[in-house]
Amino acid sequence: MSDHHTYKKIEVVGSSKNSIDEAINNALGECAKSIRNLDWFEVVETRGHIENGKVGHYQVTLKVGFRLSES
């Protein structure tokens, strides 16, 4: 077994009508459907859409890191 790891980093955007937390979890949930070895995430941008003077939905940009299977 190796004592080092190599990671790949991707950027994804999650959204939610309810909360920033739910937007993050929506993005990670979608990533987990097709990417193995998810290890960490970093929120790099938070924004939202305004409807009638209120929050219509939240958007959160994440950098998601996952370990390459060979490492």
Side-chain angles (χ1 to χ4, degrees), residues 12-34 38 41 57-62 64:
V12 297
V13 178
S15 65
S16 167
K17 289 189 173 220
N18 300 312
S19 69
I20 292 170
D21 188 55
E22 187 173 277
I24 292 169
N25 282 306
N26 288 343
L28 294 176
E30 287 299 313
C31 287
K33 291 179 182 178
S34 60
L38 293 172
F41 73 93
H57 68 270
Y58 301 90
Q59 291 182 327
V60 180
T61 303
L62 305 174
V64 180

Side-chain angles (χ1 to χ4, degrees):
M1 178 178 248
S2 176
D3 61 352
H4 72 279
H5 301 290
T6 302
Y7 297 88
K8 180 163 181 82
K9 181 170 53 174
I10 61 169
E11 190 169 275
V12 297
V13 178
S15 65
S16 167
K17 289 189 173 220
N18 300 312
S19 69
I20 292 170
D21 188 55
E22 187 173 277
I24 292 169
N25 282 306
N26 288 343
L28 294 176
E30 287 299 313
C31 287
K33 291 179 182 178
S34 60
I35 301 171
R36 295 180 309 207
N37 303 322
L38 293 172
D39 272 355
W40 55 268
F41 73 93
E42 171 187 0
V43 176
V44 294
E45 184 177 27
T46 304
R47 64 182 173 274
H49 178 75
I50 302 168
E51 295 176 359
N52 300 318
K54 297 182 179 180
V55 175
H57 68 270
Y58 301 90
Q59 291 182 327
V60 180
T61 303
L62 305 174
K63 289 185 181 181
V64 180
F66 59 95
R67 192 174 60 257
L68 298 176
S69 59
E70 292 83 28
S71 68

